[in-house]
Amino acid sequence: MRLLYYNGDGDFSLAEFFKSAIPKYAILSHTWEADEVTFEDLQNGTGTKKGGYQKIRFCAEQAKRDGLQYFWVDTCCIDKSNSAELAEAINSMFRWYRMSTKCYVYLPDVSRSAVNTDELAWESAFRKYRWFTRGWTLQELIAPTSVEFFCRESERIGSKSSLEQRIHEITGIPKSALQGAHLSQFSDNERFSWIQPRQTKVEEDKAYSLLGIFDVQMPLRYGEGMANAFKRLEEEIDKFNKCLQDLRLSDPRDDKTRIEDTKGGLLGGSYHWVLESSKFQQWRNNPQTWLLWIKGDPGKGKTMLLCGIINELKKSMPKSTLLSFFFCQATDSRINNATAVLRGLIYLLVNEQLSLLSHVRKKYEQTGKALFEDANAWVALCEIFANILQDPNLNNTCLIVDALDECAVDLPKLLDLIVQTSPISPRIKWIVSSRNWPSIEKGLNKATPKASLHLELNEKSVSAAVNTYIQSKVDFLATQNEYDNDSRGAVQSYLSANANGTFLWVALVCQELASISGWEVEEMLSAFPPGLDAVYMRMMEQIRTSRAAKRCNSILAIVSIVYRPITLDELPSFVDVPPRSSSNYKALAEIIGLCGSFLTLRERTISFVHQSARDFLIKEASNEIFPSGIDDINHAIFSRSLHVMSRTLRRDVYSLRAPGISIDQVKQPDPDPLAAIRYSCLYWVDHLLDCQTRDDIIPDLQDSGSVYNFLRQYFLYWLEALSLMRSLSSGIAMTTKLEVWLQVGRSPDSLAFIYDAKRFARYCHSVVEKTPLQLYCSALVFAPDKSIVRKQFEKCIPPWIQSCPKMEAHWNAAL
């Protein structure tokens, strides 16, 4: 980047800087006139008599008044005779304006006298300024943090901040965008609308001036016409969005909302204390303290504490600071592993600073979605993450990970990654939370300096926060159950005396009290002993003596071992429910309610109220919920999955009919025929292999077994369902797992089919992922002649394909 500065002769010279060494600078925004000073003029010293020289002198003098030595002007800091340099400059323009300390808008069509006239006349004139009609000035308005407007006589008119309402009305650009909000918050159509009323001298520039607004790069082709330029821009945006879509596993922002809703909402008084604590202040104000570890026992409110911290940081941090976070959940295999954590953190980072996606796309364009899902995903994502953290344009960044103890897969790798980021970039700060696990403490001890906030050592603050929570809960119960003053006081006193600083204990007891009338509540309080395990034990006793004990134990057993929370639609696939209840939401919700307060229901999804509830069931109640062992439940899930899939799967299950219909055009029908089998489609193989110590797994995998029979009849229909669920890669992974487990001598026909099925799925993956019904057309037609899958499902090839191409006999050696 070339910058101008005053030389010793009272004239201007150019200095060239590279990314890491660019100093603070001012930048000029203006509309081009006929006699601008060019790069060549500055080199030759011939620009001083041109009209545009006045603008350069104005920018230099204003920058000097603002304490800035360097400044940038587009007319003369770019060598436009060099097409490669021009293309790079246009692709970098938004970033250069974003990086500027000050942006001066020079308005030659505004005089001091116009500014000094009455307000109405000035308002009318301001709306007509030519600067608001030009294409390139759109990014020059949005990108810089500080934008100041000056009239012809170089006197300040106002700033983007002080004139915000007027600018919003003139341009139609939302105020949040003017204030520096991340542009990814605005839809593609909305951002395109900002350029529509504007004009550019060269027609293609109307598209090129949006490169920074969408944070994409592409080569410039002047002469291609505006329509082609916009077409290429839209194609580049589509590639960008596809990469972002494939990177997304779960949106941590949605996870945060779900967690807050499930726990009854975030109560301000329950977390404000931590913001004033010495450890948090040390982390926030000391540049050397880059890690804050919040640790405490189960139920102490760590997750909600982090939710509150995230909300506070969003409000108080500069808009340019990036905030990325992730909530681990042990009971959901999608978000309980180190790879998922890293993927989620990167997803939010690139959402907030879109230019960072370029680090992902370098690898993504070679491999596609498999980059995030195959066996090398962790290695690839670590490299991408390191490149992001070393990006010289990365803004200050705060990374937050909740519940490290619930990272069930590769936690040591995650701890090492956190520790290793400190020397990479001084702009990165971390907050993490976990239980008091020695293994986590050992992993984080390598991080120095750090701050540790131990909730048990902040008993007074935690107890005060719990009392605030108790007050809120008792207010609700008193209104709902019509407590008199004595009952209200008794409930509040009992909860305060026995909570022991544990939010979860209060939540569980209040949930039980909700079903107890006000007149008997005082007598019932003693039935709720202090301590989480004691409350869980009481809940199990209630289940044990209920009429629905068997069904409740079955539900708790299933929910304890599934790989992700199941839905009410999926529940009847694994648990026997009363006749005609399987599609009755109210009845199913009532059945879940019979399981004490172990489970919670949100948007038809069943999950544990807390990880400690699952831990209790596995350790303390396993004899009741797993009377024949966990292997027996795994096998039941597997066998019932095959049964329900066999009953549901069929060709063109969504009745799409057109074989070329794109997955993006598919609308999920209501009711969804796949709703009850989504979990089964994704995890039946895992549950089969989880019970491989059982004697009866051998028959399941033999040539005459249930797996072989299912795949021979339903393999293509299963792949179609996975494609409609946007999870085709999972099918490939599952066939690979089966292939690895099988032994040649035991089940040769099963092994041959599964090997062929794996090759078939990999071969047609890229096509079927985009167009599910191509499974029955191009996927079969272009498979080798002797492919087992092709021969087994040849009848599925549409009759209108009358002449099939001659294909090789067998799969080739290229895996």
Side-chain angles (χ1 to χ4, degrees):
M1 183 183 191
R2 293 193 193 90
L3 294 173
L4 287 159
Y5 68 98
Y6 264 125
N7 59 29
D9 303 328
D11 206 346
F12 308 115
S13 295
L14 286 166
E16 194 165 322
F17 296 92
F18 294 94
K19 287 181 180 179
S20 58
I22 295 174
K24 291 184 177 181
Y25 60 90
I27 200 163
L28 182 67
S29 175
H30 64 113
T31 54
W32 281 44
E33 308 298 336
D35 55 348
E36 297 291 353
V37 178
T38 66
F39 175 75
E40 188 179 4
D41 291 332
L42 273 188
Q43 297 292 89
N44 298 335
T46 57
T48 56
K49 294 181 181 178
K50 285 190 169 185
Y53 194 78
Q54 178 188 346
K55 288 188 276 190
I56 300 175
R57 185 166 294 281
F58 149 72
C59 191
E61 291 173 355
Q62 187 59 44
K64 190 175 181 181
R65 281 192 285 272
D66 288 328
L68 297 169
Q69 180 182 359
Y70 295 96
F71 60 100
W72 187 89
V73 180
D74 57 353
T75 58
C76 54
C77 287
I78 305 169
D79 181 3
K80 296 179 182 63
S81 66
N82 183 329
S83 58
E85 180 179 328
L86 176 61
E88 184 179 354
I90 287 178
N91 276 287
S92 305
M93 199 79 72
F94 187 92
R95 178 166 50 84
W96 288 348
Y97 275 89
R98 174 75 84 189
M99 289 165 53
S100 66
T101 303
K102 294 276 188 179
C103 175
Y104 307 134
V105 178
Y106 182 74
L107 303 170
D109 48 352
V110 183
S111 68
R112 180 170 49 206
S113 59
V115 176
N116 292 335
T117 56
D118 66 273
E119 183 73 15
L120 287 175
W122 181 83
E123 177 92 20
S124 176
F126 186 74
R127 291 176 180 275
K128 297 175 183 176
Y129 293 160
R130 182 168 172 260
W131 187 84
F132 287 113
T133 69
R134 308 309 296 166
W136 286 108
T137 57
L138 172 62
Q139 65 178 4
E140 295 164 17
L141 170 64
I142 290 176
T145 303
S146 173
V147 180
E148 297 181 344
F149 295 85
F150 294 84
C151 64
R152 185 165 57 230
E153 293 83 6
S154 303
E155 292 193 6
R156 189 176 181 275
I157 299 171
S159 67
K160 178 166 69 169
S161 177
S162 66
L163 300 171
E164 182 182 280
Q165 181 61 33
R166 294 186 179 95
I167 295 171
H168 163 65
E169 291 171 0
I170 294 167
T171 63
I173 299 170
K175 292 180 183 178
S176 55
L178 296 173
Q179 293 164 1
H182 301 292
L183 297 184
S184 58
Q185 297 177 15
F186 307 98
S187 70
D188 293 349
N189 287 339
E190 187 172 8
R191 282 181 275 175
F192 273 122
S193 71
W194 300 342
I195 198 70
Q196 283 177 355
R198 295 171 178 262
Q199 303 298 321
T200 54
K201 186 175 180 181
V202 180
E203 61 174 320
E204 293 88 352
D205 278 344
K206 193 162 184 177
Y208 300 159
S209 64
L210 289 172
L211 292 176
I213 300 295
F214 287 98
D215 218 329
V216 296
Q217 294 193 343
M218 66 182 197
L220 311 182
R221 296 175 187 166
Y222 285 109
E224 67 177 326
M226 184 168 64
N228 284 332
F230 268 104
K231 182 181 178 183
R232 285 199 302 121
L233 175 61
E234 289 168 0
E235 288 172 353
E236 196 61 32
I237 292 169
D238 287 343
K239 291 178 189 174
F240 185 99
N241 290 339
K242 183 66 167 64
C243 178
L244 200 58
Q245 179 185 6
D246 286 347
L247 172 62
R248 179 191 181 278
L249 179 65
S250 171
D251 191 328
R253 293 168 296 193
D254 295 336
D255 291 333
K256 177 176 176 289
T257 302
R258 170 179 54 78
I259 289 166
E260 290 176 358
D261 289 351
T262 301
K263 295 179 183 290
L266 184 61
L267 192 64
S270 64
Y271 70 85
H272 282 155
W273 70 270
V274 77
L275 306 175
E276 306 301 324
S277 68
S278 60
K279 297 296 185 181
F280 183 81
Q281 290 296 320
Q282 176 189 342
W283 172 85
R284 189 166 199 172
N285 300 321
N286 185 345
Q288 301 301 316
T289 305
W290 60 272
L291 173 64
L292 172 63
W293 177 27
I294 298 174
K295 54 182 176 175
D297 292 337
K300 294 293 184 181
K302 299 183 292 295
T303 296
M304 296 302 270
L305 207 59
L306 260 62
C307 287
I309 289 173
I310 289 168
N311 290 354
E312 173 63 23
L313 292 177
K314 280 181 177 177
K315 288 189 291 186
S316 61
M317 291 189 315
K319 289 188 180 294
S320 59
T321 300
L322 306 184
L323 177 62
S324 182
F325 50 87
F326 193 88
F327 293 86
C328 295
Q329 190 172 339
T331 53
D332 190 337
S333 64
R334 297 168 300 182
I335 53 176
N336 73 349
N337 58 86
T339 301
V341 175
L342 193 48
R343 196 167 161 183
L345 292 176
I346 293 172
Y347 176 74
L348 281 195
L349 283 176
V350 300
N351 256 282
E352 297 216 340
Q353 188 174 335
L354 294 174
S355 62
L356 299 175
L357 191 66
S358 61
H359 299 291
V360 182
R361 290 186 65 183
K362 286 175 187 174
K363 286 183 170 289
Y364 174 81
E365 287 174 0
Q366 299 172 10
T367 59
K369 192 176 181 180
L371 172 68
F372 313 122
E373 297 177 341
D374 66 16
N376 298 316
W378 171 257
V379 175
L381 288 168
C382 281
E383 184 180 335
I384 290 168
F385 191 59
N387 291 336
I388 287 175
L389 298 190
Q390 294 176 71
D391 189 318
N393 300 311
L394 177 72
N395 298 332
N396 288 335
T397 299
C398 177
L399 302 169
I400 298 177
V401 180
D402 176 57
L404 289 174
D405 51 282
E406 296 198 36
C407 179
V409 181
D410 291 334
L411 175 59
K413 289 182 179 179
L414 179 59
L415 294 174
D416 285 343
L417 177 79
I418 292 170
V419 171
Q420 290 163 10
T421 56
S422 174
I424 291 179
S425 174
R427 290 167 292 181
I428 309 299
K429 288 206 167 198
W430 288 83
I431 299 178
V432 298
S433 75
S434 75
R435 297 186 192 182
N436 296 302
W437 281 11
S439 59
I440 294 177
E441 183 160 14
K442 183 179 178 181
L444 293 179
N445 273 344
K446 305 169 194 171
T448 53
K450 69 173 183 294
S452 297
L453 197 157
H454 199 310
L455 296 183
E456 280 72 26
L457 298 181
N458 287 267
E459 185 179 353
K460 186 175 179 181
S461 297
V462 174
S463 293
V466 171
N467 285 334
T468 301
Y469 181 65
I470 290 172
Q471 179 72 55
S472 170
K473 286 291 186 182
V474 172
D475 287 347
F476 175 79
L477 287 172
T479 302
Q480 176 183 276
N481 294 351
E482 299 180 348
Y483 292 173
D484 58 28
N485 289 337
D486 290 342
S487 296
R488 182 193 190 110
V491 172
Q492 186 153 341
S493 296
Y494 186 84
L495 294 176
S496 298
N498 293 280
N500 194 28
T502 304
F503 286 90
L504 180 59
W505 183 86
V506 176
L508 291 171
V509 172
C510 288
Q511 192 168 332
E512 296 289 312
L513 291 176
S515 61
I516 299 174
S517 300
W519 59 268
E520 60 175 340
V521 68
E522 290 183 63
E523 295 178 6
M524 294 296 297
L525 285 174
S526 59
F528 302 101
L532 282 177
D533 279 2
V535 172
Y536 289 144
M537 199 72 76
R538 179 185 184 279
M539 286 156 50
M540 278 304 299
E541 181 60 34
Q542 285 181 314
I543 292 172
R544 196 177 296 124
T545 58
S546 72
R547 294 195 311 273
K550 184 177 180 182
R551 183 171 291 121
C552 288
N553 284 334
S554 295
I555 292 172
L556 291 174
I558 295 294
V559 177
S560 294
I561 65 169
V562 288
Y563 281 86
R564 64 142 171 89
I566 59 173
T567 65
L568 287 180
D569 299 296
E570 295 162 340
L571 180 66
S573 299
F574 310 118
V575 176
D576 293 326
V577 297
R580 296 181 299 282
S581 295
S582 59
S583 58
N584 185 328
Y585 174 84
K586 187 176 179 182
L588 290 173
E590 194 173 320
I591 291 171
I592 295 302
L594 295 174
C595 297
S597 296
F598 284 108
L599 304 179
T600 182
L601 188 62
R602 181 179 182 270
E603 294 180 356
R604 302 183 72 88
T605 299
I606 308 161
S607 52
F608 279 108
V609 68
H610 192 266
Q611 175 63 21
S612 61
R614 178 180 182 271
D615 294 343
F616 172 84
L617 291 173
I618 298 287
K619 294 174 184 175
E620 308 295 336
S622 59
N623 290 338
E624 292 183 62
I625 66 171
F626 306 120
S628 302
I630 291 180
D631 283 354
D632 191 70
I633 303 299
N634 273 313
H635 192 266
I637 293 175
F638 153 71
S639 58
R640 293 183 71 132
S641 290
L642 286 196
H643 175 72
V644 73
M645 286 192 294
S646 301
R647 205 173 56 202
T648 307
L649 292 174
R650 66 177 189 273
R651 178 175 175 172
D652 194 10
V653 68
Y654 276 4
S655 301
L656 303 176
R657 296 186 176 85
I661 193 167
S662 161
I663 187 66
D664 295 324
Q665 299 172 291
V666 174
K667 292 182 180 178
Q668 186 174 297
D670 187 18
D672 179 7
L674 297 179
I677 64 167
R678 285 177 176 268
Y679 183 88
S680 297
C681 286
L682 288 168
Y683 297 106
W684 67 270
V685 171
D686 293 295
H687 286 287
L688 169 65
L689 300 184
D690 281 346
C691 60
Q692 58 183 288
T693 57
R694 286 176 50 97
D695 294 335
D696 57 351
I697 192 173
I698 305 305
D700 289 321
L701 283 171
Q702 285 179 349
D703 289 341
S704 58
S706 56
V707 172
Y708 184 48
N709 290 333
F710 170 77
L711 291 175
R712 288 181 66 218
Q713 285 184 264
Y714 298 101
F715 177 67
L716 284 197
Y717 311 151
W718 175 53
L719 287 189
E720 180 197 332
L722 290 172
S723 177
L724 292 169
M725 293 159 55
R726 297 178 185 265
S727 299
L728 191 59
S729 297
S730 297
I732 298 172
M734 283 186 270
T735 53
T736 302
K737 288 178 183 178
L738 287 173
E739 181 192 15
V740 168
W741 199 89
L742 279 169
Q743 295 179 21
V744 178
R746 186 178 294 171
S747 311
D749 292 344
S750 291
L751 182 62
F753 188 96
I754 287 169
Y755 173 79
D756 192 84
K758 181 192 73 173
R759 293 299 306 269
F760 179 87
R762 284 184 171 178
Y763 181 65
C764 67
H765 175 270
S766 61
V767 172
V768 174
E769 188 177 47
K770 298 172 185 172
T771 47
L773 296 187
Q774 284 300 308
L775 264 170
Y776 311 105
C777 302
S778 58
L780 286 174
V781 167
F782 292 107
D785 285 337
K786 294 188 178 180
S787 159
I788 299 172
V789 171
R790 174 173 176 156
K791 292 168 73 174
Q792 183 70 28
F793 292 94
E794 205 151 16
K795 63 183 184 300
C796 291
I797 297 176
W800 49 263
I801 302 181
Q802 296 185 7
S803 178
C804 291
K806 178 65 179 172
M807 301 303 298
E808 55 191 353
H810 303 283
W811 296 108
N812 61 34
L815 293 177

